[in-house]
Amino acid sequence: MQIYKAPLRDMRFVLYELFDSRTVAALPGGEELTPELIDSILEEAAKFTEKVLLPLNASGDEEGCHYENGVVRTPKGFKDAYVAFREGGWTAMACDPAYGGQGLPEIVNKLVEEMICATNLSFGLYPGLSHGAYLALRHHASDELKQKFLPKLVDGTWSGTMCLTEAHCGTDLGLLRTKAVPQADGSYRVTGSKIFISAGEHDLTENIVHLVLARLPDAPAGVKGISLFVVPKFLPTPDGGVGARNGVLCTAIEHKMGIKASATCQLSFEGATGWMVGRPNKGLQAMFTMMNSERLSVGLQGLGLAEVAYQSAVAYAKERLQGRSLNGAKRPDLPADPIIVHPDVRRMLMTMRAYAEGCRALAGWVAQALDIAERATDPSAKETAEDFTALMTPIVKALFTELGFEATNLCMQAYGGHGYIRDHGIEQLVRDARIAMIYEGTNGIQALDLVGRKLPAHAGRYLRRFFHPVSEFIASRKANPALAALVEPLSKAFGALQLATVHIAQSAERDREEAGAAAAEYLRLFGLVALGYMWARSAEVAAEKLPAADGDAGFYQSKLITARFFMERILPQSFALLTSIKSGKASMMALPEAAF
Amino acid sequence: MQIYKAPLRDMRFVLYELFDSRTVAALPGGEELTPELIDSILEEAAKFTEKVLLPLNASGDEEGCHYENGVVRTPKGFKDAYVAFREGGWTAMACDPAYGGQGLPEIVNKLVEEMICATNLSFGLYPGLSHGAYLALRHHASDELKQKFLPKLVDGTWSGTMCLTEAHCGTDLGLLRTKAVPQADGSYRVTGSKIFISAGEHDLTENIVHLVLARLPDAPAGVKGISLFVVPKFLPTPDGGVGARNGVLCTAIEHKMGIKASATCQLSFEGATGWMVGRPNKGLQAMFTMMNSERLSVGLQGLGLAEVAYQSAVAYAKERLQGRSLNGAKRPDLPADPIIVHPDVRRMLMTMRAYAEGCRALAGWVAQALDIAERATDPSAKETAEDFTALMTPIVKALFTELGFEATNLCMQAYGGHGYIRDHGIEQLVRDARIAMIYEGTNGIQALDLVGRKLPAHAGRYLRRFFHPVSEFIASRKANPALAALVEPLSKAFGALQLATVHIAQSAERDREEAGAAAAEYLRLFGLVALGYMWARSAEVAAEKLPAADGDAGFYQSKLITARFFMERILPQSFALLTSIKSGKASMMALPEAAF
């Protein structure tokens, strides 16, 4: 069974112990952000996701979305759940109070997102896309457009989409063909076909606000000729209602491996009325505001699925009786021991646990930086935080989704044949997790973003936002004997990351393909070191608190054990990755195309 | 699209260049085994699998099997394909001529199996299970039972199953409850419920021969009280026809993640008539004859899927236009370059290729040993070969299925969103590949078999069947400058394997859980070294043949490049695995059960 209780204790650890929620509370707009408020939000979110979203996850997968004559019906229960979600204020949580939002920071928002993704990824995509559309409009649209669309996106009566992909172009948006022709009244007529549009059509909201990339008639070729338009399904009336149907039609939905309750639409824009968002030919930059937020959210999908996979596997491992402990029966009263006694089952459970808690800590660090970047008044603090989130976005997206997929597969492996059949809902987790490595820029594209853009940016300035705190941590803790068993492996892995970075910087200067050849392994190496750093810091906190922990002693002891597991059994991959990176592009690129 | 052309050139490389098919031809029964005969069989198999099985793969997945009132209908086209398969003699290929078989060796049979798995895994399970049943009966049944069942299994008019799993026990067969009560006429009445029975009921054959594990009334508890019975769906008539319906009923089929055209059945034995195979309470050993063969076949499923994944990804990577080469446009005549120009796409393709060709070579080595074990008259050669296949069985099963699953996922990653939707058939490959890591003993069980049984067997004698040839190869090639770049990394990885072996042997003496904690990583390390050895030997052959290769030069050059890719970018994982193994069980086992 899909088992999930929101990991509130660990979330509080990240919020109040590993980091300090007062950092964000001290920023403008954070005045009311007390631990009591945060806790009550998380507890409400836990209730909603456990009781409303989780029970719809397997049934939504089983039923899927239905398409008929341009209309999409979501699975049974989704509409009611969405109404409850909207009425509970969840769509407004991380939005600007100027448009009806609650103005809560990302450090809280991202934890709620994790719970949503863990319990019902398909459901989460609908409000998730809306929030992306909200962000793009809020940062780039005119005041008039903001007034027209933002309050509706914030209160969730309307939803949003990102219309980028066309049949012949996904990664390479420079090839896109959708056209936008200016009209006398300042609007545009948008014509073209888009595919893979999540939440492109559905029955959850009264209107859908599409953000569409298209070309002006005189636009230059390639990515420098792309503009962004807002194209609603129904034209808004002056009083904020829903008016005439616009010329955008859902022509089909995709049949997919997973996320079956999420409507993935083909949309046909047929002279649809839209308005430009931001400046002509600068649409891609505007869309990237939205994409970066979406990329972090996709990373959280991996984290959420790792958590539900972990909990589901633990429940089964404690209950399923099979074989005896290698060191003698642990439960002679039962016909066999529960499989949690077996080292190989432990290996899988500990791996999932180390992934989920490590990723949660790293997500907390990045979310705090997002809040500082958004809210800080000190330009230097702001720049540091912006640099850091820019650097970490591709890492969070790609690493978390890879580990999330691994975790769902480990969960299935713990279930054995019972995980492969549909009955327990475990195979759904694997199918759902798989998309996260692909959408919002494949993980290969994230890796290229890291080595091609983020590494060289401002002569390595982004990179230093990560390297400096890690170096300082290692240097200042080396002498601490209690931490030595954790800091030593971190230090070695960090050394490998530094060597890999130098290697790529030097070799890419000669040949840009060298960076491309190293990219995927470099991102993973970077991500593992980042998790290692989180685990070392978590262990430090746990070691400090343990002596006076009383009822919480088990929690801190588990942190210390899991930290050690991560350092001993996962982080060593770093050296293999460094060796692989250093071998360069030759063997990867040598085979003539015809020989494949 | 699922793209597949049987890799006949590479198969011939394994058969005639890397190994020598004359080794097997020189054994009793191999007289007619000329390269001409082998080639013609492989060419016929290629035609059949490409033209008959591949076109039914996606449609079979889409339609699935249908269950109604105890009857199972396979998807459209399967029955005709099975008739053609049977009439083509494919069910008889690797069987004993005494029962109508063609007596072909495993080195040929396994290559045909690879083609079947690559093109239609679901289909392949039906004759695959029959062959397992054939093997168990041939080795353990009385002459009377052999005469009754083997000719029908060999000519394919009847099919077979393995009925092991019950709802409460899969891995731990000691818990099984199915009963067999002896009757006055020497038969038994079998009663109990089995689950996860592949090919347990279907419409492809006129009869189904179930091999069932059950307990005699006075049987001791646990695995020492299990006997094996043959229980046909219809009782055979004295003239070899199909008589009365036996008391075995299919009560349901499973709805699964993949292999949807394979009927996975729940069977209810209700006082069904059966006959004992082999001796009382020795059923598990008899079943293992069949299971070992099945485990190697499951490994080939991973290999077959890696190959079809590779070919499908290559076709897409050459055709899909997206972006430009990092070093400048390669196809300025097109709106974008085909994605095969990108290093990250190359990384994925080369990885799949290195897996598929490496596994094929290793499968060839093991298949040759199977034939020697089966046919050799020299007891020493026979023992060596038996030891080697016993050692390699868990490695082939677990490693190939892991790499096969990785390869199908890499294929999907190369396709991006187009791989996640059902249209291209790529996501089916991922779903189908996933089961192979679970059935016929999960990969965790394979790893335990390796460290717990195979490693210590006869004071390491099995192990030496692998270690000695590898040491000798490395020692004798170290001075060869042409091979140094390949032998050096192999030598290092082999060193890591030796250290890991010593570590496990020593630590397991103190504590058996230490072996369990190391098992999964040790199996992978062993498997990677075995592939590295195959790649080094393949490269040696290629380097020797290249100067006079003429039209084949491209083939040998590709071998050399892919060998280097494997050594540089995959084999380095060995060191991470060794580090992980050496860390021992402590962090894996320390967490109290309640803390999970």
Side-chain angles (χ1 to χ4, degrees):
Chain A
M1 291 293 295
Q2 296 171 1
I3 304 280
Y4 184 77
K5 292 280 167 207
L8 294 175
R9 178 66 188 87
D10 198 52
M11 289 180 166
R12 286 199 300 267
F13 176 79
V14 172
L15 278 168
Y16 310 130
E17 299 178 79
L18 183 57
F19 302 105
D20 183 347
S21 65
R22 287 172 298 186
T23 308
V24 173
L27 298 171
E31 298 75 11
E32 293 170 19
L33 196 73
T34 61
E36 291 70 31
L37 175 70
I38 296 175
D39 284 352
S40 71
I41 293 167
L42 295 181
E43 279 158 25
E44 282 306 308
K47 267 188 230 164
F48 186 83
T49 53
E50 293 165 11
K51 299 205 162 96
V52 179
L53 296 187
L54 186 63
L56 293 175
N57 195 37
S59 61
D61 177 67
E62 192 63 37
E63 185 185 339
C65 289
H66 301 272
Y67 173 87
E68 204 176 351
N69 291 328
V71 175
V72 173
R73 184 160 47 80
T74 56
K76 194 160 171 287
F78 271 55
K79 190 157 184 183
D80 289 346
Y82 184 79
V83 170
F85 186 81
R86 180 167 65 70
E87 289 177 348
W90 299 109
T91 56
M93 202 172 77
C95 298
D96 187 343
Y99 304 100
Q102 296 169 23
L104 286 163
E106 289 293 340
I107 53 161
V108 181
N109 188 41
K110 289 293 180 229
L111 293 173
V112 175
E113 274 192 33
E114 184 200 321
M115 296 185 210
I116 297 169
C117 297
T119 49
N120 200 321
L121 179 55
S122 284
F123 180 92
L125 288 172
Y126 297 96
L129 270 296
S130 298
H131 193 66
Y134 159 85
L135 286 175
L137 288 170
R138 178 161 171 264
H139 283 96
H140 301 284
S142 65
D143 280 342
E144 192 192 339
L145 289 175
K146 284 188 200 175
Q147 290 303 338
K148 197 176 282 186
F149 292 106
L150 289 185
K152 298 292 189 179
L153 287 170
V154 170
D155 75 11
T157 48
W158 297 0
S159 68
T161 75
M162 293 168 63
C163 300
L164 287 72
T165 304
E166 301 181 5
H168 63 289
C169 67
T171 296
D172 187 357
L173 291 169
L175 302 173
L176 72 80
R177 294 176 192 148
T178 298
K179 286 275 172 208
V181 179
Q183 306 297 303
D185 64 358
S187 71
Y188 292 79
R189 294 203 152 245
V190 177
T191 303
S193 295
K194 296 283 180 179
I195 66 164
F196 297 168
I197 310 305
S198 295
E201 177 60 42
H202 58 80
D203 55 3
L204 302 181
T205 56
E206 65 181 32
N207 201 3
I208 301 174
V209 180
H210 303 290
L211 283 170
V212 185
L213 290 183
R215 293 184 180 285
L216 295 171
D218 57 351
V223 291
K224 291 181 176 155
I226 298 174
S227 306
L228 180 63
F229 300 87
V230 55
V231 184
K233 176 179 167 187
F234 292 101
L235 296 172
T237 58
D239 62 350
V242 158
R245 187 73 149 89
N246 200 359
V248 48
L249 187 75
C250 176
T251 51
I253 59 174
E254 303 293 348
H255 300 281
K256 311 182 297 294
M257 182 187 200
I259 53 165
K260 294 188 183 203
S262 164
T264 307
C265 301
Q266 298 179 20
L267 293 183
S268 176
F269 293 87
E270 297 166 359
T273 298
W275 296 273
M276 191 183 292
V277 176
R279 291 184 295 140
N281 301 329
K282 301 288 180 195
L284 215 53
Q285 290 93 313
M287 198 55 124
F288 260 94
T289 305
M290 187 166 164
M291 287 248 284
N292 279 330
S293 162
E294 292 295 321
R295 285 177 174 181
L296 290 170
S297 295
V298 173
L300 293 177
Q301 296 173 7
L303 164 54
L305 286 163
E307 179 67 36
V308 67
Y310 168 72
Q311 292 190 31
S312 303
V314 164
Y316 190 73
K318 288 181 174 179
E319 165 199 304
R320 174 80 172 168
L321 307 178
Q322 211 76 177
R324 288 294 183 190
S325 161
L326 289 168
N327 288 344
K330 289 278 198 305
R331 292 292 304 272
D333 55 316
L334 297 175
D337 287 337
I339 60 172
I340 198 169
V341 306
H342 302 305
D344 196 58
V345 174
R346 289 275 179 149
R347 175 183 65 81
M348 298 192 279
L349 297 180
M350 290 299 294
T351 302
M352 287 183 255
R353 183 184 178 106
Y355 286 172
E357 294 184 10
C359 289
R360 186 171 300 118
L362 185 55
W365 189 17
V366 176
Q368 178 180 282
L370 277 175
D371 288 324
I372 297 170
E374 173 74 20
R375 299 173 179 219
T377 46
D378 170 27
S380 150
K382 208 178 174 76
E383 183 187 88
T384 301
E386 281 169 351
D387 290 354
F388 179 71
T389 55
L391 175 69
M392 298 308 285
T393 295
I395 295 167
V396 167
K397 195 279 180 183
L399 180 77
F400 287 21
T401 59
E402 276 178 30
L403 301 186
F405 186 61
E406 282 180 37
T408 58
N409 274 293
L410 288 172
C411 174
M412 179 183 281
Q413 201 65 22
Y415 270 76
H418 294 274
Y420 193 72
I421 60 173
R422 292 183 60 86
D423 309 40
H424 298 279
I426 302 306
E427 60 90 43
Q428 180 194 354
L429 301 180
V430 175
R431 288 185 288 102
D432 284 358
R434 185 62 185 85
I435 186 59
M437 293 156 74
I438 295 174
Y439 61 15
E440 306 304 339
T442 64
N443 286 1
I445 290 297
Q446 306 300 324
L448 268 186
D449 179 45
L450 178 64
V451 299
R453 291 200 196 99
K454 305 300 167 62
L455 230 63
H458 305 288
R461 197 183 77 198
Y462 289 4
L463 205 61
R464 290 192 290 276
R465 307 309 188 189
F466 177 82
F467 277 27
H468 283 181
V470 178
S471 314
E472 281 162 26
F473 177 86
I474 292 171
S476 62
R477 269 69 166 188
K478 269 205 163 152
N480 182 340
L483 282 180
L486 301 169
V487 172
E488 177 69 20
L490 173 65
S491 171
K492 282 187 187 167
F494 183 56
L497 177 62
Q498 289 173 307
L499 288 173
T501 307
V502 170
H503 171 85
I504 292 173
Q506 290 176 346
S507 63
E509 218 168 293
R510 292 193 313 272
D511 181 347
R512 291 183 63 200
E513 279 184 350
E514 287 287 357
E521 277 117 341
Y522 181 75
L523 186 145
R524 184 155 179 119
L525 171 56
F526 204 132
L528 290 176
V529 171
L531 292 186
Y533 175 50
M534 289 296 102
W535 270 114
R537 284 187 56 178
S538 297
E540 180 177 43
V541 172
E544 278 166 14
K545 299 221 169 178
L546 189 56
D550 294 332
D552 250 1
F555 177 81
Y556 296 118
Q557 271 155 352
S558 299
K559 277 279 174 224
L560 289 166
I561 292 167
T562 313
R564 193 172 154 200
F565 179 86
F566 184 86
M567 299 301 181
E568 289 182 351
R569 303 206 77 106
I570 298 169
L571 195 58
Q573 288 171 28
S574 314
F575 312 110
L577 292 163
L578 174 63
T579 307
S580 182
I581 290 165
K582 279 165 65 184
S583 71
K585 78 168 200 179
S587 67
M588 193 182 284
M589 303 304 287
L591 208 64
E593 194 178 312
F596 279 93
Chain B
M1 290 295 294
Q2 296 170 0
I3 304 280
Y4 184 77
K5 291 280 166 207
L8 294 174
R9 178 64 188 89
D10 197 52
M11 290 179 165
R12 287 198 300 267
F13 176 78
V14 172
L15 278 168
Y16 311 129
E17 299 177 81
L18 183 57
F19 302 104
D20 183 347
S21 65
R22 285 171 300 184
T23 308
V24 174
L27 299 171
E31 299 75 10
E32 293 172 17
L33 195 74
T34 61
E36 292 68 31
L37 175 70
I38 296 174
D39 284 352
S40 72
I41 292 168
L42 295 181
E43 278 159 26
E44 282 307 307
K47 265 188 229 164
F48 185 83
T49 54
E50 294 165 12
K51 298 205 163 94
V52 179
L53 296 186
L54 186 64
L56 293 176
N57 195 36
S59 61
D61 177 65
E62 191 65 35
E63 185 186 339
C65 288
H66 301 271
Y67 173 86
E68 204 175 352
N69 291 330
V71 176
V72 173
R73 184 158 49 77
T74 55
K76 192 159 174 287
F78 270 56
K79 191 159 184 179
D80 289 345
Y82 184 79
V83 170
F85 186 81
R86 181 168 65 71
E87 289 178 348
W90 299 110
T91 57
M93 201 171 80
C95 299
D96 187 343
Y99 304 100
Q102 296 169 23
L104 286 163
E106 288 295 339
I107 53 160
V108 181
N109 188 40
K110 291 291 180 229
L111 292 172
V112 174
E113 274 191 33
E114 183 199 322
M115 295 185 210
I116 295 169
C117 297
T119 48
N120 200 322
L121 178 55
S122 283
F123 180 92
L125 288 172
Y126 297 96
L129 270 296
S130 298
H131 193 65
Y134 159 85
L135 287 175
L137 288 169
R138 179 162 171 264
H139 283 96
H140 301 283
S142 65
D143 280 343
E144 191 192 340
L145 290 176
K146 285 188 200 175
Q147 290 303 336
K148 197 176 280 188
F149 292 106
L150 289 183
K152 297 293 188 178
L153 286 170
V154 169
D155 75 10
T157 48
W158 297 1
S159 68
T161 74
M162 293 168 63
C163 299
L164 287 71
T165 304
E166 301 181 4
H168 63 290
C169 67
T171 296
D172 185 358
L173 291 170
L175 302 174
L176 71 80
R177 296 178 191 145
T178 298
K179 288 273 171 211
V181 179
Q183 305 298 302
D185 65 355
S187 72
Y188 292 79
R189 292 202 157 247
V190 178
T191 303
S193 294
K194 296 284 180 178
I195 66 166
F196 297 169
I197 310 306
S198 295
E201 178 58 45
H202 57 80
D203 56 2
L204 302 181
T205 55
E206 65 180 32
N207 201 2
I208 301 174
V209 180
H210 303 291
L211 283 170
V212 185
L213 290 184
R215 292 183 180 285
L216 295 171
D218 57 351
V223 292
K224 291 179 176 158
I226 299 174
S227 306
L228 181 63
F229 300 87
V230 56
V231 183
K233 177 179 168 186
F234 293 102
L235 296 171
T237 58
D239 63 350
V242 159
R245 186 73 149 90
N246 201 358
V248 48
L249 187 74
C250 177
T251 52
I253 59 173
E254 303 293 349
H255 300 281
K256 310 182 298 295
M257 183 188 199
I259 51 164
K260 295 190 182 202
S262 164
T264 306
C265 301
Q266 298 179 21
L267 293 184
S268 176
F269 293 88
E270 299 165 359
T273 298
W275 296 273
M276 192 184 290
V277 177
R279 289 184 299 140
N281 302 328
K282 301 289 180 196
L284 216 53
Q285 291 93 312
M287 198 55 125
F288 261 95
T289 306
M290 187 167 164
M291 286 249 284
N292 279 330
S293 162
E294 291 296 320
R295 286 177 173 180
L296 290 170
S297 295
V298 173
L300 293 178
Q301 295 172 8
L303 164 55
L305 286 164
E307 179 67 36
V308 67
Y310 168 71
Q311 293 191 31
S312 302
V314 164
Y316 190 72
K318 287 180 174 179
E319 166 200 305
R320 174 78 171 170
L321 308 178
Q322 212 76 177
R324 288 296 182 189
S325 160
L326 289 167
N327 287 345
K330 289 278 197 306
R331 292 292 304 272
D333 54 316
L334 296 174
D337 286 338
I339 60 173
I340 199 169
V341 306
H342 303 305
D344 195 59
V345 173
R346 288 276 179 147
R347 175 184 65 81
M348 299 192 278
L349 298 179
M350 290 298 294
T351 302
M352 289 183 255
R353 183 182 179 107
Y355 286 172
E357 293 183 11
C359 289
R360 186 171 300 117
L362 184 54
W365 191 16
V366 177
Q368 179 181 282
L370 277 176
D371 288 324
I372 296 169
E374 173 74 22
R375 300 173 179 220
T377 46
D378 170 27
S380 149
K382 206 176 177 78
E383 183 186 88
T384 301
E386 280 169 352
D387 290 353
F388 179 71
T389 55
L391 175 70
M392 299 308 284
T393 294
I395 296 168
V396 168
K397 195 281 181 181
L399 180 78
F400 286 22
T401 59
E402 275 178 31
L403 302 186
F405 186 60
E406 283 180 38
T408 58
N409 273 294
L410 289 171
C411 175
M412 180 183 281
Q413 201 64 22
Y415 270 77
H418 294 276
Y420 193 72
I421 60 173
R422 292 183 59 85
D423 309 41
H424 298 279
I426 301 307
E427 58 90 46
Q428 181 195 353
L429 301 180
V430 175
R431 288 184 289 103
D432 284 358
R434 186 63 184 84
I435 187 59
M437 293 156 73
I438 295 174
Y439 61 14
E440 306 303 341
T442 64
N443 285 2
I445 291 296
Q446 305 301 323
L448 269 186
D449 179 45
L450 178 64
V451 299
R453 293 202 196 98
K454 306 300 167 62
L455 230 63
H458 304 289
R461 194 183 79 198
Y462 289 5
L463 205 60
R464 291 192 289 277
R465 307 308 186 189
F466 177 82
F467 276 28
H468 283 181
V470 177
S471 310
E472 281 162 25
F473 177 86
I474 292 171
S476 61
R477 270 66 166 191
K478 270 207 161 150
N480 181 341
L483 282 181
L486 300 169
V487 173
E488 177 69 18
L490 173 64
S491 171
K492 283 187 186 168
F494 183 55
L497 177 62
Q498 290 173 306
L499 288 174
T501 307
V502 171
H503 171 84
I504 292 174
Q506 290 175 346
S507 62
E509 220 168 293
R510 290 194 312 275
D511 180 348
R512 290 182 64 201
E513 279 185 349
E514 287 287 356
E521 277 117 342
Y522 181 74
L523 185 144
R524 184 155 179 119
L525 170 56
F526 204 132
L528 290 177
V529 171
L531 292 186
Y533 175 51
M534 288 297 103
W535 270 115
R537 285 187 56 178
S538 296
E540 180 177 42
V541 172
E544 279 166 15
K545 298 221 170 175
L546 189 55
D550 292 335
D552 250 1
F555 177 82
Y556 296 118
Q557 270 155 354
S558 298
K559 275 279 175 225
L560 289 166
I561 292 167
T562 312
R564 194 173 153 199
F565 178 86
F566 183 86
M567 299 301 182
E568 290 182 351
R569 303 208 77 106
I570 297 169
L571 196 57
Q573 289 170 27
S574 315
F575 310 111
L577 293 163
L578 174 63
T579 307
S580 182
I581 289 165
K582 279 166 65 185
S583 71
K585 79 167 198 179
S587 66
M588 194 182 283
M589 302 305 286
L591 209 63
E593 194 178 312
F596 279 93

